[in-house]
Amino acid sequence: MSVLSFFSTSDGQRIAYRYDGQPGKPVLVLSNSIATTLHMWDGQVQALARHFHVLRYDARGHGASDAPAGPYDLERLGRDVLELLDTLGVGRAHFLGLSLGGIVGQWLGVHAPDRIDRLVLSNTSPYLGPADQWGALIDSVLRAPDLSQAAEMFMGNWFPPQLRRDTPELVERFRAMVMHTPAQGLAGNFGAVRDTDLRAVLGRISRPTLVIAGRDDTVTLASHGEQIAAAVPGAGLVMLQAVHMPNVEVAEEFLQAVLAFLAESPNGG
């Protein structure tokens, strides 16, 4: 069983990561959504580890990773991934990111294509403006006594009412991830999203790309996924009947889509 490990970034921050699966298999990096941890992928790791050496990490500001004062910027979040790969001696990897993780994946596809084999961008967007809404969110997070109000917002944005009603224990695991996120880290990542606009550069992504979107996603709309797929040359698009967390809500369909796409690669395991 793998254990949590840490490395230090070039700006002196400690980032938590863990490997699952057998060394020697192709590396697949999983990147978490905002306000979660690497444990958002717990339901997929066993199946993915049959084919890949699965590398998960807590994005800065989340989980066991350091949460320096923000705002963060997308380039820094992308360089955290590149420095993690450098630390582990991984030249090239598949990358699967959801929401914020998918924004990081877009940056990597544009700026570090030599490090990416195949790219999966799930429930994400190249731009989530206007900036004013993020300023209000940042202020509310930093002023609040705890993240309970933010947790309620995220649960409503991530999961449909039926899932929240029928699987409360699963939802509570995600609520706990939000509640344990450092407010400074959440605000810092909100700042990175606020300042991101990748719409003009998506056409520079040259790696094979799969976009996954949720028909009922109210955060990163289905149209945002369609926008990415239309802009990235040769990208595929899978539209799932889900809200914002298809890896949880429609786990089997999500996993099938990811594995089918990654298996197309000669290094797909």
Side-chain angles (χ1 to χ4, degrees):
M1 183 175 179
S2 67
V3 295
L4 203 63
S5 300
F6 297 87
F7 85 100
S8 292
T9 63
S10 58
D11 66 338
Q13 301 302 312
R14 198 171 76 143
I15 300 293
Y17 71 92
R18 63 178 285 173
Y19 259 133
D20 292 275
Q22 297 178 352
K25 290 185 179 294
V27 175
L28 169 62
V29 179
L30 304 181
S31 187
N32 57 287
S33 70
I34 204 165
T36 70
T37 72
L38 54 77
H39 291 293
M40 70 162 282
W41 301 108
D42 281 354
Q44 290 72 59
V45 166
Q46 184 176 358
L48 291 172
R50 297 190 189 106
H51 306 274
F52 305 100
H53 201 194
V54 179
L55 176 59
R56 293 181 280 171
Y57 71 102
D58 287 336
R60 73 168 54 206
H62 295 90
S65 293
D66 284 347
Y72 307 161
D73 65 79
L74 180 56
E75 180 178 357
R76 183 61 258 178
L77 298 181
R79 295 205 176 280
D80 288 348
V81 177
L82 298 177
E83 291 173 8
L84 173 59
L85 295 178
D86 289 344
T87 297
L88 298 175
V90 177
R92 177 177 285 202
H94 299 305
F95 186 93
L96 163 56
L98 190 147
S99 196
L100 175 64
I103 296 175
V104 174
Q106 293 171 68
W107 186 91
L108 291 168
V110 171
H111 296 283
D114 57 314
R115 306 303 297 276
I116 301 298
D117 189 348
R118 295 176 85 81
L119 183 61
V120 184
L121 306 172
S122 182
N123 296 74
T124 190
S125 175
Y127 171 71
L128 284 170
D132 291 352
Q133 65 180 343
W134 296 104
L137 268 176
I138 290 168
D139 287 343
S140 68
V141 163
L142 293 177
R143 292 174 186 272
D146 60 37
L147 292 185
S148 56
Q149 185 175 350
E152 283 304 308
M153 174 190 73
F154 282 120
M155 295 308 104
N157 286 342
W158 291 348
F159 305 117
Q162 183 176 347
L163 188 147
R164 298 201 302 273
R165 183 181 66 242
D166 296 346
T167 57
E169 69 290 342
L170 185 152
V171 174
E172 284 309 308
R173 288 202 296 272
F174 277 82
R175 187 191 307 275
M177 290 186 215
V178 179
M179 292 297 294
H180 286 92
T181 300
Q184 186 167 270
L186 181 56
N189 281 286
F190 277 155
V193 175
R194 176 196 63 198
D195 298 336
T196 291
D197 187 352
L198 294 164
R199 291 175 293 182
V201 296
L202 287 174
R204 290 165 51 187
I205 296 178
S206 58
R207 303 309 305 153
T209 300
L210 174 68
V211 180
I212 298 175
R215 294 187 191 280
D216 301 319
D217 195 334
T218 59
V219 181
T220 54
L221 305 179
S223 60
H224 296 179
E226 292 171 337
Q227 178 184 21
I228 297 170
V232 175
L237 174 66
V238 171
M239 190 70 66
L240 296 176
Q241 193 63 51
V243 184
H244 192 62
M245 291 279 187
N247 65 308
V248 175
E249 188 181 348
V250 288
E252 185 175 344
E253 294 92 329
F254 178 86
L255 193 62
Q256 287 177 348
V258 169
L259 288 174
F261 173 70
L262 296 180
E264 296 173 18
S265 168
N267 295 319

